Amino acid sequence: MSSHSLPPIIVMGVSGSGKSTMGALLGERLDLPFIDGDDLHPDENREKMRAGHPLDDDDRWPWLHRIGELIDAGLVEGHATIVACSALRKSYRDLIRRHAPEAIFVHLRGSSELIADRMGARDHEYMPATLLGSQLATLEPLEDDERGVVVDVTASPDELADQIIAALPAVTTP
C-alpha cells in the first residue's frame, strides 16, 4: 500500500498507551509526517493538567479544531498526516472527521494496570498519572460505524506497527 493512498491516521488512546511512540514509528515506516497532539495543547490546558485537573470539553474543542486544521493543511499539500491524539470520545473523533472524513483511528488499548505502570515509569511534561482514571472514564471505544483498528499495547512497538500496517488496507476502503 502506497503512503500516497493513505488517509489521515489518528493514533488514539489514553495517556501512557504509546500514542507518540507509535505515531512517530508509523510516520517513519509509512513516510508520512507525524504530529504529536500534545504539542498543540495551549498553555492553559497544560497548566490545568499539570495541576492534576482533567480537561473538559470546553478545554478540548479548540485543541481538536487545531488538530483538524493541521490534518486539512496536509491534505491540501497532497499528503496524509499521522497524529497522536487521545480522541477519547466519539464526539471528538466526529469533529476530526468533519475536517477529514476519510480519517482512520488506531486505538491503542491496554489494561489500566499496564498503562498505570507505564505512566509511573515516565516523566511527562504535564500529564500526571493521577489523571489516568479520568481518561479511562472518558474513553469511548471505537463504534462499528467508525473506521479504525484496535490493537493491544502488550506487543512491542515494532510488532504493533506491523499489525497496524497490515490492517490498514481493510480499514482504508469506505
Side-chain angles (χ1 to χ4, degrees):
M1 167 174 276
S2 163
S3 64
H4 297 293
S5 63
L6 289 172
I9 298 170
I10 313 305
V11 182
M12 64 167 281
V14 297
S15 183
S17 62
K19 297 180 300 292
S20 299
T21 299
M22 190 52 46
L25 183 57
L26 288 172
E28 181 181 304
R29 292 254 194 112
L30 297 171
D31 192 30
L32 291 173
F34 167 66
I35 298 170
D36 192 332
D38 281 351
D39 295 339
L40 304 175
H41 274 295
D43 289 341
E44 299 81 26
N45 285 9
R46 290 172 190 239
E47 289 304 318
K48 187 172 183 177
M49 290 183 283
R50 189 176 286 122
H53 303 290
L55 299 180
D56 59 29
D57 287 353
D58 290 336
D59 300 316
R60 287 188 178 106
W61 293 127
W63 172 67
L64 290 164
H65 276 291
R66 179 72 180 130
I67 287 170
E69 290 165 358
L70 290 172
I71 292 169
D72 279 343
L75 293 171
V76 167
E77 292 171 6
H79 63 79
T81 303
I82 298 173
V83 181
C85 171
S86 53
L88 297 174
R89 292 184 194 258
K90 186 173 192 289
S91 60
Y92 306 161
R93 298 186 297 269
D94 288 344
L95 187 150
I96 291 170
R97 278 190 292 271
R98 285 202 308 260
H99 288 274
E102 67 280 9
I104 61 168
F105 292 83
V106 174
H107 180 184
L108 303 180
R109 183 176 58 193
S111 71
S112 58
E113 296 82 14
L114 173 64
I115 303 296
D117 286 347
R118 287 181 173 189
M119 290 183 78
R122 72 178 191 172
D123 183 29
H124 193 277
E125 176 188 357
Y126 56 81
M127 187 65 176
T130 56
L131 292 180
L132 177 59
S134 70
Q135 287 213 329
L136 289 168
T138 302
L139 177 64
E140 296 173 355
L142 291 174
E143 295 184 9
D144 291 342
D145 65 338
E146 295 183 275
R147 289 181 7 178
V149 59
V150 179
V151 293
D152 187 309
V153 298
T154 56
S156 74
D158 283 325
E159 291 170 325
L160 284 176
D162 290 343
Q163 290 174 26
I164 293 164
I165 291 168
L168 288 176
V171 295
T172 56
T173 51

